[in-house]
Amino acid sequence: MRKSLIAATLAFAGLLVAGSLALAQGRALPPADYTPDVSYRLTTGLADGKMAFIGVGGEIDGVVNPRLVAEPGDVVQLTLVNGDGVQHDWALEGVDGVATDMVFEEGASSVTVFRIDEPGQYSYYCTVPGHRQAGMEGLLEIGEVAESDEEALASIVRDPADLPGPIGDREPVTHDLALVTEEVEARLADGTSYRFWTFDGQIPGPFLRVKVGDTVNMTLENADDSTMIHSVDFHAVTGPGGGAAVTQTRPGDATAFTFKALNPGLYVYHCATPMVAHHITNGMYGLILVEPEEGLAEVDREFYVMQGELYTEGAFGQRGDQEFSVDKLLDEDPEYFTFNGAVGALTDEHPLQANVGETVRIFFGVGGPNFTSSFHVIGEIFDRVHDQGSLTSPPLTDVQTTTVAPGGATMVEFGLEVPGDYILVDHALSRAERGLVGFLQAAGDDNPEVFDGNVTPGGGH
Ligand code: CU
Ligand code: CU
Ligand code: CU
């Protein structure tokens, strides 16, 4: 509905380019016909090593990606000045025709004049591929925006440091484990929400940790307010459906079964209620680790990360509540890719944190449902990869990128020698533009023998 209102509004919007008035949609206005109610001037440049729009003059002077405000119906004039000699423009997301021209050379400028009647938050950004992700985005607020709407959005992100500690060498035991399936409306990306389906309210579901030979009494409870039947299939289980055959659970009900963990390894679990791909994409996946007889080698830190895709009716980045698209799911045409459930989960919300000199282990799985991950950490090399989650085969050593299938997992280990931000990606890097990125922040002293970033070109240092 919002889009059609905006389109109607834009019938009255003019677009001023390089001093002459051009037609965006509808009739052109002679230059004398408008006096801007609000004027903003932005320049382009680097701020903290990232690309940015920087405010010029007034309250936004010097502010990086400033929040711009106007009242509904205001005539807004936006001037973009090229400050860095790199090609840029400025555009409003979801509002056709409201954009400047590209500015190519340092000092070049372009102006857009527009009017929006519908109150709300609109994202502005640079449309040059990659520039938005590199930092060139901000918000234009038209009228009173209920900030609480944004703040109140729940998070389904599981902290990658949230997992039980090692078991090690001990006799087999019996565990009583329980999972609760919950459907939760929560934040998918900034300004965007989605009705996720989860195990225990977070994505991925809880990291379950047992040892080979252990017996597990597993209870699955489906929350009262669920709208769907849910179930669980553990890839670590030997038995019909990995448990799914006996855990199809109606809202408000509970089911249970017992299994013995026969094979060590790192295994995916997921909901297996038809349409299974729908239940998985909505967030119903997690990992269960079956430690081998002797346990795992000691490391300083362990992390838990899972990759998935989401298929929304709205395009990536569109604000507001997003509906699931069954057509896009069947076409395997996702809008979002995520680590731990939401865009920004492992960058803004819970970056992985460690120190130089430590060894790090990442339990990494793919919920999917459809896309294989080419898992890679930019700036690091995996010292050991327990390929395909196998803990009884010797690990691969010195690996750059490892393939992880949907419904598959891997355990990677590496030492941290140099401080800085290391970036978790799927090396199918288009997906980074759709949300699939995380940070591992390594704190500590510089180690110039391994990496020296303070070298002057030509002259040594
Ligand atoms: Cu740009
Ligand atoms: Cu389900
Ligand atoms: Cu499966």
Side-chain angles (χ1 to χ4, degrees), residues 160-161 303-305 346 350-354 360 362 424 438-442:
F303 296 105
Y304 173 29
V305 177
L346 304 187
H350 295 293
L352 286 64
Q353 287 175 321
V360 165
I362 303 175
L424 278 64
F439 293 149
L440 165 61
Q441 297 171 335

Side-chain angles (χ1 to χ4, degrees), residues 48-50 346-348 350-356 376-380 414 416-425 437-444 446 451:
D48 295 329
K50 299 179 81 179
L346 304 187
T347 50
D348 302 331
H350 295 293
L352 286 64
Q353 287 175 321
N355 299 307
V356 170
H376 175 72
V377 177
I378 298 175
E380 264 296 347
F414 51 98
L416 293 170
E417 290 82 15
V418 176
D421 280 359
Y422 296 88
I423 308 173
L424 278 64
V425 293
V437 58
F439 293 149
L440 165 61
Q441 297 171 335
D446 284 344
F451 182 83

Side-chain angles (χ1 to χ4, degrees), residues 329-378:
L329 175 66
L330 295 176
D331 290 345
E332 301 188 22
D333 183 20
E335 292 293 339
Y336 291 83
F337 285 87
T338 63
F339 289 134
N340 288 19
V343 176
L346 304 187
T347 50
D348 302 331
E349 236 178 291
H350 295 293
L352 286 64
Q353 287 175 321
N355 299 307
V356 170
E358 292 181 335
T359 48
V360 165
R361 170 182 290 146
I362 303 175
F363 298 107
F364 179 84
V366 177
N370 298 319
F371 282 73
T372 298
S373 180
S374 303
F375 184 52
H376 175 72
V377 177
I378 298 175

Side-chain angles (χ1 to χ4, degrees), residues 106-444:
E106 193 164 350
S109 65
S110 178
V111 180
T112 178
V113 179
F114 57 90
R115 204 170 84 183
I116 294 175
D117 288 341
E118 177 79 353
Q121 288 188 321
Y122 300 82
S123 296
Y124 68 79
Y125 65 106
C126 173
T127 71
V128 175
H131 285 197
R132 180 180 195 166
Q133 291 73 21
M136 301 188 77
E137 65 174 342
L139 279 181
L140 167 68
E141 290 186 4
I142 301 292
E144 285 290 307
V145 173
E147 300 245 349
S148 53
D149 287 5
E150 180 95 330
E151 308 289 309
L153 278 182
S155 168
I156 42 70
V157 172
R158 183 172 299 279
D159 185 336
D162 176 16
L163 71 169
I167 294 172
D169 197 2
R170 65 141 166 74
E171 290 304 304
V173 301
T174 297
H175 305 265
D176 293 312
L177 299 179
L179 291 172
V180 182
T181 55
E182 298 172 30
E183 303 171 6
V184 217
E185 180 82 22
R187 178 191 169 280
L188 166 58
D190 285 342
T192 300
S193 63
Y194 187 78
R195 189 170 170 83
F196 295 94
W197 301 347
T198 70
F199 290 104
D200 285 18
Q202 290 187 314
I203 301 172
F207 189 93
L208 304 180
R209 194 161 193 159
V210 303
K211 196 180 162 186
V212 65
D214 285 358
T215 297
V216 177
N217 298 323
M218 188 71 222
T219 302
L220 184 74
E221 189 186 323
N222 191 356
D224 287 334
D225 61 356
S226 289
T227 60
M228 306 297 284
I229 290 173
H230 296 294
S231 60
V232 66
D233 166 354
F234 290 95
H235 290 183
V237 164
T238 307
V246 292
T247 54
Q248 299 297 328
T249 311
R250 279 189 297 259
D253 280 355
T255 54
F257 69 102
T258 297
F259 71 93
K260 184 167 189 171
L262 299 181
N263 300 72
L266 182 62
Y267 297 97
V268 168
Y269 67 85
H270 59 85
C271 181
T273 299
M275 174 196 304
V276 178
H278 184 193
H279 286 249
I280 292 176
T281 184
N282 275 6
M284 303 196 76
Y285 48 82
L287 289 179
I288 176 168
L289 172 67
V290 181
E291 289 197 9
E293 198 60 57
E294 65 286 358
L296 299 180
E298 212 173 293
V299 292
D300 296 304
R301 287 180 198 267
E302 294 183 329
F303 296 105
Y304 173 29
V305 177
M306 285 189 82
Q307 175 169 330
E309 327 100 46
L310 274 141
Y311 303 80
T312 53
E313 290 283 354
F316 175 82
Q318 189 170 310
R319 303 179 79 83
D321 184 30
Q322 294 302 311
E323 295 291 324
F324 163 71
S325 166
V326 71
D327 291 336
K328 287 181 186 174
L329 175 66
L330 295 176
D331 290 345
E332 301 188 22
D333 183 20
E335 292 293 339
Y336 291 83
F337 285 87
T338 63
F339 289 134
N340 288 19
V343 176
L346 304 187
T347 50
D348 302 331
E349 236 178 291
H350 295 293
L352 286 64
Q353 287 175 321
N355 299 307
V356 170
E358 292 181 335
T359 48
V360 165
R361 170 182 290 146
I362 303 175
F363 298 107
F364 179 84
V366 177
N370 298 319
F371 282 73
T372 298
S373 180
S374 303
F375 184 52
H376 175 72
V377 177
I378 298 175
E380 264 296 347
I381 296 143
F382 300 136
D383 295 333
R384 285 172 298 284
V385 170
H386 294 264
D387 194 27
Q388 310 204 33
S390 169
L391 303 179
T392 44
S393 317
L396 302 173
T397 52
D398 303 319
V399 174
Q400 57 189 318
T401 298
T402 190
T403 304
V404 187
T410 189
M411 184 175 101
V412 300
E413 295 162 354
F414 51 98
L416 293 170
E417 290 82 15
V418 176
D421 280 359
Y422 296 88
I423 308 173
L424 278 64
V425 293
D426 175 337
H427 215 292
L429 281 166
S430 298
R431 301 170 191 174
E433 311 300 318
R434 291 177 174 270
L436 197 54
V437 58
F439 293 149
L440 165 61
Q441 297 171 335

